[in-house]
PDB file of all heavy atoms in Angstrom:
ATOM      1  N   THR A   1     107.403  88.756  91.836  1.00  0.00           N
ATOM      2  CA  THR A   1     106.987  87.460  92.447  1.00  0.00           C
ATOM      3  C   THR A   1     107.195  86.343  91.519  1.00  0.00           C
ATOM      4  O   THR A   1     107.628  85.250  91.905  1.00  0.00           O
ATOM      5  CB  THR A   1     105.494  87.459  92.884  1.00  0.00           C
ATOM      6  OG1 THR A   1     105.266  88.605  93.762  1.00  0.00           O
ATOM      7  CG2 THR A   1     104.849  86.324  93.471  1.00  0.00           C
ATOM      8  N   VAL A   2     106.826  86.497  90.209  1.00  0.00           N
ATOM      9  CA  VAL A   2     107.005  85.516  89.294  1.00  0.00           C
ATOM     10  C   VAL A   2     108.501  85.132  89.047  1.00  0.00           C
ATOM     11  O   VAL A   2     108.902  83.952  89.020  1.00  0.00           O
ATOM     12  CB  VAL A   2     106.488  85.938  87.909  1.00  0.00           C
ATOM     13  CG1 VAL A   2     106.887  84.985  86.772  1.00  0.00           C
ATOM     14  CG2 VAL A   2     104.941  86.043  87.867  1.00  0.00           C
ATOM     15  N   LEU A   3     109.378  86.262  88.993  1.00  0.00           N
ATOM     16  CA  LEU A   3     110.723  85.956  88.885  1.00  0.00           C
ATOM     17  C   LEU A   3     111.380  85.193  90.060  1.00  0.00           C
ATOM     18  O   LEU A   3     112.303  84.385  89.796  1.00  0.00           O
ATOM     19  CB  LEU A   3     111.511  87.282  88.565  1.00  0.00           C
ATOM     20  CG  LEU A   3     111.188  88.027  87.323  1.00  0.00           C
ATOM     21  CD1 LEU A   3     111.848  89.411  87.270  1.00  0.00           C
ATOM     22  CD2 LEU A   3     111.464  87.193  86.085  1.00  0.00           C
ATOM     23  N   ARG A   4     110.968  85.529  91.209  1.00  0.00           N
ATOM     24  CA  ARG A   4     111.553  84.845  92.454  1.00  0.00           C
ATOM     25  C   ARG A   4     111.164  83.278  92.359  1.00  0.00           C
ATOM     26  O   ARG A   4     111.949  82.536  92.824  1.00  0.00           O
ATOM     27  CB  ARG A   4     110.982  85.462  93.690  1.00  0.00           C
ATOM     28  CG  ARG A   4     111.676  86.789  93.993  1.00  0.00           C
ATOM     29  CD  ARG A   4     111.416  87.278  95.398  1.00  0.00           C
ATOM     30  NE  ARG A   4     111.905  88.508  95.575  1.00  0.00           N
ATOM     31  CZ  ARG A   4     111.245  89.764  95.520  1.00  0.00           C
ATOM     32  NH1 ARG A   4     109.920  89.660  95.215  1.00  0.00           N
ATOM     33  NH2 ARG A   4     111.778  90.991  95.593  1.00  0.00           N
ATOM     34  N   ALA A   5     110.037  83.100  91.632  1.00  0.00           N
ATOM     35  CA  ALA A   5     109.552  81.632  91.739  1.00  0.00           C
ATOM     36  C   ALA A   5     110.315  80.781  90.601  1.00  0.00           C
ATOM     37  O   ALA A   5     110.286  79.623  90.635  1.00  0.00           O
ATOM     38  CB  ALA A   5     108.090  81.615  91.303  1.00  0.00           C
ATOM     39  N   CYS A   6     111.083  81.598  89.724  1.00  0.00           N
ATOM     40  CA  CYS A   6     111.848  80.943  88.741  1.00  0.00           C
ATOM     41  C   CYS A   6     113.052  80.329  89.294  1.00  0.00           C
ATOM     42  O   CYS A   6     113.815  79.524  88.545  1.00  0.00           O
ATOM     43  CB  CYS A   6     112.353  81.958  87.562  1.00  0.00           C
ATOM     44  SG  CYS A   6     110.989  82.608  86.604  1.00  0.00           S
ATOM     45  N   LYS A   7     113.447  80.410  90.505  1.00  0.00           N
ATOM     46  CA  LYS A   7     114.652  79.892  91.033  1.00  0.00           C
ATOM     47  C   LYS A   7     115.942  80.228  90.352  1.00  0.00           C
ATOM     48  O   LYS A   7     116.201  81.390  90.289  1.00  0.00           O
ATOM     49  CB  LYS A   7     114.474  78.350  91.330  1.00  0.00           C
ATOM     50  CG  LYS A   7     113.316  78.004  92.170  1.00  0.00           C
ATOM     51  CD  LYS A   7     113.541  78.285  93.655  1.00  0.00           C
ATOM     52  CE  LYS A   7     112.539  77.539  94.501  1.00  0.00           C
ATOM     53  NZ  LYS A   7     111.213  78.222  94.578  1.00  0.00           N
ATOM     54  N   ASP A   8     116.594  79.362  89.741  1.00  0.00           N
ATOM     55  CA  ASP A   8     117.759  79.665  88.919  1.00  0.00           C
ATOM     56  C   ASP A   8     117.534  79.521  87.535  1.00  0.00           C
ATOM     57  O   ASP A   8     118.549  79.561  86.622  1.00  0.00           O
ATOM     58  CB  ASP A   8     118.894  78.709  89.453  1.00  0.00           C
ATOM     59  CG  ASP A   8     120.215  79.278  89.047  1.00  0.00           C
ATOM     60  OD1 ASP A   8     120.375  80.523  89.079  1.00  0.00           O
ATOM     61  OD2 ASP A   8     121.188  78.418  88.662  1.00  0.00           O
ATOM     62  N   ASP A   9     116.313  79.309  87.057  1.00  0.00           N
ATOM     63  CA  ASP A   9     116.040  79.083  85.521  1.00  0.00           C
ATOM     64  C   ASP A   9     115.180  80.234  85.159  1.00  0.00           C
ATOM     65  O   ASP A   9     113.976  80.365  85.239  1.00  0.00           O
ATOM     66  CB  ASP A   9     115.281  77.717  85.462  1.00  0.00           C
ATOM     67  CG  ASP A   9     114.902  77.577  83.925  1.00  0.00           C
ATOM     68  OD1 ASP A   9     115.255  78.343  83.080  1.00  0.00           O
ATOM     69  OD2 ASP A   9     114.223  76.553  83.653  1.00  0.00           O
ATOM     70  N   PHE A  10     115.978  81.258  84.483  1.00  0.00           N
ATOM     71  CA  PHE A  10     115.358  82.401  83.938  1.00  0.00           C
ATOM     72  C   PHE A  10     115.132  82.312  82.380  1.00  0.00           C
ATOM     73  O   PHE A  10     115.027  83.314  81.697  1.00  0.00           O
ATOM     74  CB  PHE A  10     116.142  83.707  84.302  1.00  0.00           C
ATOM     75  CG  PHE A  10     116.016  83.968  85.729  1.00  0.00           C
ATOM     76  CD1 PHE A  10     117.107  83.644  86.572  1.00  0.00           C
ATOM     77  CD2 PHE A  10     114.873  84.518  86.283  1.00  0.00           C
ATOM     78  CE1 PHE A  10     116.999  83.885  88.017  1.00  0.00           C
ATOM     79  CE2 PHE A  10     114.790  84.693  87.690  1.00  0.00           C
ATOM     80  CZ  PHE A  10     115.874  84.442  88.463  1.00  0.00           C
ATOM     81  N   SER A  11     114.908  81.138  81.884  1.00  0.00           N
ATOM     82  CA  SER A  11     114.585  80.991  80.451  1.00  0.00           C
ATOM     83  C   SER A  11     113.233  81.503  80.257  1.00  0.00           C
ATOM     84  O   SER A  11     112.291  81.569  81.217  1.00  0.00           O
ATOM     85  CB  SER A  11     114.578  79.453  80.061  1.00  0.00           C
ATOM     86  OG  SER A  11     113.614  78.739  80.875  1.00  0.00           O
ATOM     87  N   SER A  12     112.992  81.893  79.073  1.00  0.00           N
ATOM     88  CA  SER A  12     111.592  82.521  78.711  1.00  0.00           C
ATOM     89  C   SER A  12     110.493  81.424  79.031  1.00  0.00           C
ATOM     90  O   SER A  12     109.437  81.751  79.483  1.00  0.00           O
ATOM     91  CB  SER A  12     111.531  82.831  77.251  1.00  0.00           C
ATOM     92  OG  SER A  12     112.258  83.929  76.961  1.00  0.00           O
ATOM     93  N   GLU A  13     110.840  80.124  78.775  1.00  0.00           N
ATOM     94  CA  GLU A  13     109.937  79.074  79.012  1.00  0.00           C
ATOM     95  C   GLU A  13     109.554  78.913  80.419  1.00  0.00           C
ATOM     96  O   GLU A  13     108.278  78.775  80.842  1.00  0.00           O
ATOM     97  CB  GLU A  13     110.517  77.711  78.439  1.00  0.00           C
ATOM     98  CG  GLU A  13     109.483  76.654  78.123  1.00  0.00           C
ATOM     99  CD  GLU A  13     108.537  76.997  77.027  1.00  0.00           C
ATOM    100  OE1 GLU A  13     108.989  77.618  76.028  1.00  0.00           O
ATOM    101  OE2 GLU A  13     107.379  76.712  77.187  1.00  0.00           O
ATOM    102  N   ASN A  14     110.504  79.070  81.321  1.00  0.00           N
ATOM    103  CA  ASN A  14     110.174  78.851  82.786  1.00  0.00           C
ATOM    104  C   ASN A  14     109.573  80.064  83.334  1.00  0.00           C
ATOM    105  O   ASN A  14     108.669  79.979  84.168  1.00  0.00           O
ATOM    106  CB  ASN A  14     111.493  78.672  83.584  1.00  0.00           C
ATOM    107  CG  ASN A  14     111.094  78.066  85.077  1.00  0.00           C
ATOM    108  OD1 ASN A  14     110.300  77.368  85.206  1.00  0.00           O
ATOM    109  ND2 ASN A  14     111.910  78.747  85.993  1.00  0.00           N
ATOM    110  N   ILE A  15     109.972  81.212  82.756  1.00  0.00           N
ATOM    111  CA  ILE A  15     109.122  82.456  83.243  1.00  0.00           C
ATOM    112  C   ILE A  15     107.653  82.338  82.904  1.00  0.00           C
ATOM    113  O   ILE A  15     106.807  82.604  83.653  1.00  0.00           O
ATOM    114  CB  ILE A  15     109.738  83.764  82.578  1.00  0.00           C
ATOM    115  CG1 ILE A  15     111.177  83.977  83.151  1.00  0.00           C
ATOM    116  CG2 ILE A  15     108.837  85.008  82.914  1.00  0.00           C
ATOM    117  CD1 ILE A  15     111.888  85.201  82.489  1.00  0.00           C
ATOM    118  N   LYS A  16     107.410  81.826  81.676  1.00  0.00           N
ATOM    119  CA  LYS A  16     105.968  81.627  81.275  1.00  0.00           C
ATOM    120  C   LYS A  16     105.347  80.536  82.241  1.00  0.00           C
ATOM    121  O   LYS A  16     104.172  80.784  82.733  1.00  0.00           O
ATOM    122  CB  LYS A  16     105.886  81.077  79.819  1.00  0.00           C
ATOM    123  CG  LYS A  16     104.606  80.822  79.384  1.00  0.00           C
ATOM    124  CD  LYS A  16     104.542  80.069  78.044  1.00  0.00           C
ATOM    125  CE  LYS A  16     105.022  78.607  78.065  1.00  0.00           C
ATOM    126  NZ  LYS A  16     103.807  77.751  77.772  1.00  0.00           N
ATOM    127  N   ARG A  17     106.031  79.561  82.503  1.00  0.00           N
ATOM    128  CA  ARG A  17     105.486  78.491  83.362  1.00  0.00           C
ATOM    129  C   ARG A  17     105.115  78.988  84.755  1.00  0.00           C
ATOM    130  O   ARG A  17     104.030  78.702  85.266  1.00  0.00           O
ATOM    131  CB  ARG A  17     106.484  77.256  83.445  1.00  0.00           C
ATOM    132  CG  ARG A  17     106.028  76.007  84.045  1.00  0.00           C
ATOM    133  CD  ARG A  17     106.929  74.942  84.117  1.00  0.00           C
ATOM    134  NE  ARG A  17     107.550  74.742  82.745  1.00  0.00           N
ATOM    135  CZ  ARG A  17     108.932  74.816  82.471  1.00  0.00           C
ATOM    136  NH1 ARG A  17     109.775  75.345  83.492  1.00  0.00           N
ATOM    137  NH2 ARG A  17     109.274  74.610  81.243  1.00  0.00           N
ATOM    138  N   GLN A  18     105.996  79.855  85.348  1.00  0.00           N
ATOM    139  CA  GLN A  18     105.822  80.358  86.702  1.00  0.00           C
ATOM    140  C   GLN A  18     104.668  81.364  86.682  1.00  0.00           C
ATOM    141  O   GLN A  18     103.840  81.333  87.573  1.00  0.00           O
ATOM    142  CB  GLN A  18     107.131  80.876  87.241  1.00  0.00           C
ATOM    143  CG  GLN A  18     108.204  80.038  87.335  1.00  0.00           C
ATOM    144  CD  GLN A  18     107.919  78.780  88.230  1.00  0.00           C
ATOM    145  OE1 GLN A  18     107.118  78.727  89.166  1.00  0.00           O
ATOM    146  NE2 GLN A  18     108.419  77.576  87.741  1.00  0.00           N
ATOM    147  N   ALA A  19     104.600  82.217  85.683  1.00  0.00           N
ATOM    148  CA  ALA A  19     103.503  83.126  85.580  1.00  0.00           C
ATOM    149  C   ALA A  19     102.153  82.398  85.389  1.00  0.00           C
ATOM    150  O   ALA A  19     101.109  82.942  85.979  1.00  0.00           O
ATOM    151  CB  ALA A  19     103.645  84.019  84.311  1.00  0.00           C
ATOM    152  N   ALA A  20     102.039  81.214  84.950  1.00  0.00           N
ATOM    153  CA  ALA A  20     100.900  80.529  84.732  1.00  0.00           C
ATOM    154  C   ALA A  20     100.576  79.430  85.895  1.00  0.00           C
ATOM    155  O   ALA A  20      99.722  78.601  85.859  1.00  0.00           O
ATOM    156  CB  ALA A  20     100.834  79.681  83.467  1.00  0.00           C
ATOM    157  N   SER A  21     101.399  79.577  87.034  1.00  0.00           N
ATOM    158  CA  SER A  21     101.166  78.718  88.167  1.00  0.00           C
ATOM    159  C   SER A  21     101.195  79.483  89.406  1.00  0.00           C
ATOM    160  O   SER A  21     101.824  79.019  90.502  1.00  0.00           O
ATOM    161  CB  SER A  21     102.134  77.530  88.227  1.00  0.00           C
ATOM    162  OG  SER A  21     103.441  77.971  87.929  1.00  0.00           O
ATOM    163  N   LEU A  22     100.634  80.647  89.574  1.00  0.00           N
ATOM    164  CA  LEU A  22     100.574  81.485  90.775  1.00  0.00           C
ATOM    165  C   LEU A  22      99.321  80.939  91.621  1.00  0.00           C
ATOM    166  O   LEU A  22      98.278  80.556  91.048  1.00  0.00           O
ATOM    167  CB  LEU A  22     100.310  82.815  90.413  1.00  0.00           C
ATOM    168  CG  LEU A  22     101.464  83.630  89.479  1.00  0.00           C
ATOM    169  CD1 LEU A  22     100.967  84.928  89.010  1.00  0.00           C
ATOM    170  CD2 LEU A  22     102.833  83.751  90.372  1.00  0.00           C
ATOM    171  N   LYS A  23      99.553  80.877  92.931  1.00  0.00           N
ATOM    172  CA  LYS A  23      98.475  80.335  93.744  1.00  0.00           C
ATOM    173  C   LYS A  23      98.241  81.210  94.953  1.00  0.00           C
ATOM    174  O   LYS A  23      99.213  81.533  95.760  1.00  0.00           O
ATOM    175  CB  LYS A  23      98.967  78.942  94.199  1.00  0.00           C
ATOM    176  CG  LYS A  23      97.879  78.342  95.093  1.00  0.00           C
ATOM    177  CD  LYS A  23      96.951  77.457  94.242  1.00  0.00           C
ATOM    178  CE  LYS A  23      96.023  76.597  95.124  1.00  0.00           C
ATOM    179  NZ  LYS A  23      94.750  77.334  95.504  1.00  0.00           N
ATOM    180  N   ASP A  24      97.077  81.867  94.951  1.00  0.00           N
ATOM    181  CA  ASP A  24      96.734  82.745  96.156  1.00  0.00           C
ATOM    182  C   ASP A  24      97.727  83.825  96.421  1.00  0.00           C
ATOM    183  O   ASP A  24      98.132  83.974  97.774  1.00  0.00           O
ATOM    184  CB  ASP A  24      96.380  81.926  97.334  1.00  0.00           C
ATOM    185  CG  ASP A  24      95.118  81.086  97.077  1.00  0.00           C
ATOM    186  OD1 ASP A  24      94.238  81.536  96.273  1.00  0.00           O
ATOM    187  OD2 ASP A  24      95.112  79.855  97.633  1.00  0.00           O
ATOM    188  N   VAL A  25      98.349  84.353  95.547  1.00  0.00           N
ATOM    189  CA  VAL A  25      99.456  85.447  95.788  1.00  0.00           C
ATOM    190  C   VAL A  25      98.810  86.626  96.352  1.00  0.00           C
ATOM    191  O   VAL A  25      97.986  87.241  95.649  1.00  0.00           O
ATOM    192  CB  VAL A  25     100.240  85.623  94.439  1.00  0.00           C
ATOM    193  CG1 VAL A  25     101.215  86.773  94.705  1.00  0.00           C
ATOM    194  CG2 VAL A  25     100.971  84.421  94.039  1.00  0.00           C
ATOM    195  N   GLU A  26      99.456  87.100  97.482  1.00  0.00           N
ATOM    196  CA  GLU A  26      99.052  88.437  98.008  1.00  0.00           C
ATOM    197  C   GLU A  26     100.157  89.517  97.497  1.00  0.00           C
ATOM    198  O   GLU A  26     101.275  89.212  97.459  1.00  0.00           O
ATOM    199  CB  GLU A  26      99.056  88.388  99.470  1.00  0.00           C
ATOM    200  CG  GLU A  26      97.914  87.439 100.113  1.00  0.00           C
ATOM    201  CD  GLU A  26      97.837  87.425 101.456  1.00  0.00           C
ATOM    202  OE1 GLU A  26      98.579  88.180 102.110  1.00  0.00           O
ATOM    203  OE2 GLU A  26      96.952  86.553 102.056  1.00  0.00           O
ATOM    204  N   LEU A  27      99.682  90.689  97.201  1.00  0.00           N
ATOM    205  CA  LEU A  27     100.547  91.776  96.832  1.00  0.00           C
ATOM    206  C   LEU A  27     100.304  92.943  97.720  1.00  0.00           C
ATOM    207  O   LEU A  27      99.250  93.199  98.225  1.00  0.00           O
ATOM    208  CB  LEU A  27     100.319  92.142  95.263  1.00  0.00           C
ATOM    209  CG  LEU A  27     100.548  91.004  94.274  1.00  0.00           C
ATOM    210  CD1 LEU A  27     100.104  91.473  92.810  1.00  0.00           C
ATOM    211  CD2 LEU A  27     101.991  90.583  94.283  1.00  0.00           C
ATOM    212  N   PRO A  28     101.299  93.693  97.896  1.00  0.00           N
ATOM    213  CA  PRO A  28     101.167  94.906  98.848  1.00  0.00           C
ATOM    214  C   PRO A  28     100.029  95.792  98.596  1.00  0.00           C
ATOM    215  O   PRO A  28      99.560  96.241  99.565  1.00  0.00           O
ATOM    216  CB  PRO A  28     102.549  95.640  98.744  1.00  0.00           C
ATOM    217  CG  PRO A  28     103.470  94.792  98.090  1.00  0.00           C
ATOM    218  CD  PRO A  28     102.712  93.636  97.335  1.00  0.00           C
ATOM    219  N   LEU A  29      99.772  96.038  97.314  1.00  0.00           N
ATOM    220  CA  LEU A  29      98.582  96.979  97.081  1.00  0.00           C
ATOM    221  C   LEU A  29      97.267  96.364  96.652  1.00  0.00           C
ATOM    222  O   LEU A  29      96.402  97.142  96.308  1.00  0.00           O
ATOM    223  CB  LEU A  29      99.085  98.085  95.961  1.00  0.00           C
ATOM    224  CG  LEU A  29     100.328  98.950  96.421  1.00  0.00           C
ATOM    225  CD1 LEU A  29     100.612  99.979  95.336  1.00  0.00           C
ATOM    226  CD2 LEU A  29     100.075  99.537  97.819  1.00  0.00           C
ATOM    227  N   LEU A  30      97.236  95.077  96.814  1.00  0.00           N
ATOM    228  CA  LEU A  30      95.909  94.486  96.399  1.00  0.00           C
ATOM    229  C   LEU A  30      94.980  94.637  97.587  1.00  0.00           C
ATOM    230  O   LEU A  30      95.511  94.614  98.838  1.00  0.00           O
ATOM    231  CB  LEU A  30      96.046  92.958  96.131  1.00  0.00           C
ATOM    232  CG  LEU A  30      96.318  92.511  94.731  1.00  0.00           C
ATOM    233  CD1 LEU A  30      96.380  90.941  94.632  1.00  0.00           C
ATOM    234  CD2 LEU A  30      95.221  92.926  93.756  1.00  0.00           C
ATOM    235  N   LEU A  31      93.717  94.836  97.324  1.00  0.00           N
ATOM    236  CA  LEU A  31      92.761  94.954  98.370  1.00  0.00           C
ATOM    237  C   LEU A  31      92.696  93.585  99.318  1.00  0.00           C
ATOM    238  O   LEU A  31      92.844  92.478  98.649  1.00  0.00           O
ATOM    239  CB  LEU A  31      91.415  95.276  97.885  1.00  0.00           C
ATOM    240  CG  LEU A  31      91.185  96.705  97.337  1.00  0.00           C
ATOM    241  CD1 LEU A  31      89.901  96.751  96.533  1.00  0.00           C
ATOM    242  CD2 LEU A  31      91.036  97.634  98.542  1.00  0.00           C
ATOM    243  N   PRO A  32      92.433  93.739 100.526  1.00  0.00           N
ATOM    244  CA  PRO A  32      92.309  92.506 101.394  1.00  0.00           C
ATOM    245  C   PRO A  32      91.271  91.526 100.835  1.00  0.00           C
ATOM    246  O   PRO A  32      90.149  91.968 100.292  1.00  0.00           O
ATOM    247  CB  PRO A  32      91.904  93.031 102.688  1.00  0.00           C
ATOM    248  CG  PRO A  32      92.278  94.473 102.737  1.00  0.00           C
ATOM    249  CD  PRO A  32      92.200  95.031 101.371  1.00  0.00           C
ATOM    250  N   GLY A  33      91.519  90.287 100.802  1.00  0.00           N
ATOM    251  CA  GLY A  33      90.606  89.423 100.360  1.00  0.00           C
ATOM    252  C   GLY A  33      90.822  89.016  98.796  1.00  0.00           C
ATOM    253  O   GLY A  33      90.110  88.155  98.199  1.00  0.00           O
ATOM    254  N   ILE A  34      91.601  89.865  98.093  1.00  0.00           N
ATOM    255  CA  ILE A  34      91.802  89.599  96.755  1.00  0.00           C
ATOM    256  C   ILE A  34      93.247  89.066  96.490  1.00  0.00           C
ATOM    257  O   ILE A  34      94.274  89.609  97.019  1.00  0.00           O
ATOM    258  CB  ILE A  34      91.716  90.945  95.820  1.00  0.00           C
ATOM    259  CG1 ILE A  34      90.232  91.319  95.986  1.00  0.00           C
ATOM    260  CG2 ILE A  34      92.059  90.654  94.481  1.00  0.00           C
ATOM    261  CD1 ILE A  34      89.960  92.640  95.162  1.00  0.00           C
ATOM    262  N   THR A  35      93.423  87.896  95.869  1.00  0.00           N
ATOM    263  CA  THR A  35      94.631  87.300  95.582  1.00  0.00           C
ATOM    264  C   THR A  35      94.865  87.078  94.048  1.00  0.00           C
ATOM    265  O   THR A  35      93.862  87.156  93.276  1.00  0.00           O
ATOM    266  CB  THR A  35      94.918  86.047  96.386  1.00  0.00           C
ATOM    267  OG1 THR A  35      93.775  85.160  96.052  1.00  0.00           O
ATOM    268  CG2 THR A  35      94.847  86.343  97.860  1.00  0.00           C
ATOM    269  N   VAL A  36      96.009  86.597  93.659  1.00  0.00           N
ATOM    270  CA  VAL A  36      96.360  86.279  92.278  1.00  0.00           C
ATOM    271  C   VAL A  36      96.477  84.821  92.193  1.00  0.00           C
ATOM    272  O   VAL A  36      97.355  84.211  92.850  1.00  0.00           O
ATOM    273  CB  VAL A  36      97.539  87.000  91.812  1.00  0.00           C
ATOM    274  CG1 VAL A  36      97.876  86.591  90.435  1.00  0.00           C
ATOM    275  CG2 VAL A  36      97.414  88.519  91.970  1.00  0.00           C
ATOM    276  N   THR A  37      95.685  84.150  91.291  1.00  0.00           N
ATOM    277  CA  THR A  37      95.763  82.776  91.091  1.00  0.00           C
ATOM    278  C   THR A  37      95.633  82.534  89.556  1.00  0.00           C
ATOM    279  O   THR A  37      94.779  83.118  88.892  1.00  0.00           O
ATOM    280  CB  THR A  37      94.640  81.902  91.739  1.00  0.00           C
ATOM    281  OG1 THR A  37      94.809  82.061  93.169  1.00  0.00           O
ATOM    282  CG2 THR A  37      94.717  80.498  91.355  1.00  0.00           C
ATOM    283  N   THR A  38      96.681  81.805  88.999  1.00  0.00           N
ATOM    284  CA  THR A  38      96.543  81.452  87.574  1.00  0.00           C
ATOM    285  C   THR A  38      96.726  80.078  87.295  1.00  0.00           C
ATOM    286  O   THR A  38      97.235  79.373  88.379  1.00  0.00           O
ATOM    287  CB  THR A  38      97.667  82.271  86.755  1.00  0.00           C
ATOM    288  OG1 THR A  38      98.963  81.929  87.379  1.00  0.00           O
ATOM    289  CG2 THR A  38      97.460  83.761  86.835  1.00  0.00           C
ATOM    290  N   GLY A  39      96.485  79.498  86.122  1.00  0.00           N
ATOM    291  CA  GLY A  39      96.644  78.072  85.851  1.00  0.00           C
ATOM    292  C   GLY A  39      96.932  77.985  84.423  1.00  0.00           C
ATOM    293  O   GLY A  39      96.759  78.849  83.668  1.00  0.00           O
ATOM    294  N   PRO A  40      97.558  76.816  83.920  1.00  0.00           N
ATOM    295  CA  PRO A  40      97.812  76.609  82.549  1.00  0.00           C
ATOM    296  C   PRO A  40      96.547  76.858  81.580  1.00  0.00           C
ATOM    297  O   PRO A  40      96.795  77.218  80.483  1.00  0.00           O
ATOM    298  CB  PRO A  40      98.224  75.095  82.440  1.00  0.00           C
ATOM    299  CG  PRO A  40      98.101  74.474  83.835  1.00  0.00           C
ATOM    300  CD  PRO A  40      97.850  75.604  84.765  1.00  0.00           C
ATOM    301  N   ASP A  41      95.483  76.715  82.199  1.00  0.00           N
ATOM    302  CA  ASP A  41      94.206  76.894  81.373  1.00  0.00           C
ATOM    303  C   ASP A  41      93.431  78.218  81.755  1.00  0.00           C
ATOM    304  O   ASP A  41      92.273  78.402  81.212  1.00  0.00           O
ATOM    305  CB  ASP A  41      93.248  75.697  81.424  1.00  0.00           C
ATOM    306  CG  ASP A  41      93.945  74.463  80.954  1.00  0.00           C
ATOM    307  OD1 ASP A  41      94.556  74.527  79.953  1.00  0.00           O
ATOM    308  OD2 ASP A  41      93.733  73.415  81.696  1.00  0.00           O
ATOM    309  N   ASP A  42      94.011  78.868  82.848  1.00  0.00           N
ATOM    310  CA  ASP A  42      93.355  80.104  83.272  1.00  0.00           C
ATOM    311  C   ASP A  42      94.370  81.158  83.505  1.00  0.00           C
ATOM    312  O   ASP A  42      95.126  81.239  84.368  1.00  0.00           O
ATOM    313  CB  ASP A  42      92.794  79.770  84.652  1.00  0.00           C
ATOM    314  CG  ASP A  42      91.990  80.978  85.191  1.00  0.00           C
ATOM    315  OD1 ASP A  42      91.900  82.056  84.491  1.00  0.00           O
ATOM    316  OD2 ASP A  42      91.356  80.908  86.294  1.00  0.00           O
ATOM    317  N   TYR A  43      94.295  82.213  82.314  1.00  0.00           N
ATOM    318  CA  TYR A  43      95.287  83.138  82.288  1.00  0.00           C
ATOM    319  C   TYR A  43      94.855  84.461  82.976  1.00  0.00           C
ATOM    320  O   TYR A  43      95.538  85.481  82.683  1.00  0.00           O
ATOM    321  CB  TYR A  43      95.714  83.340  80.863  1.00  0.00           C
ATOM    322  CG  TYR A  43      97.005  82.400  80.417  1.00  0.00           C
ATOM    323  CD1 TYR A  43      97.265  81.226  81.056  1.00  0.00           C
ATOM    324  CD2 TYR A  43      97.767  82.817  79.368  1.00  0.00           C
ATOM    325  CE1 TYR A  43      98.268  80.504  80.695  1.00  0.00           C
ATOM    326  CE2 TYR A  43      98.832  82.052  78.862  1.00  0.00           C
ATOM    327  CZ  TYR A  43      99.185  80.905  79.527  1.00  0.00           C
ATOM    328  OH  TYR A  43     100.171  80.075  79.145  1.00  0.00           O
TER     329      TYR A  43
END
């Protein structure tokens, strides 16, 4: 999910940036009602 969000920039810096800006991400094996959200100040 993080890598797809990187578009065409797979620099370490952009990978870090995308990992720290996930918003309500649903994953196949996460329980219903649980999502992944991160921010620059919330890792």
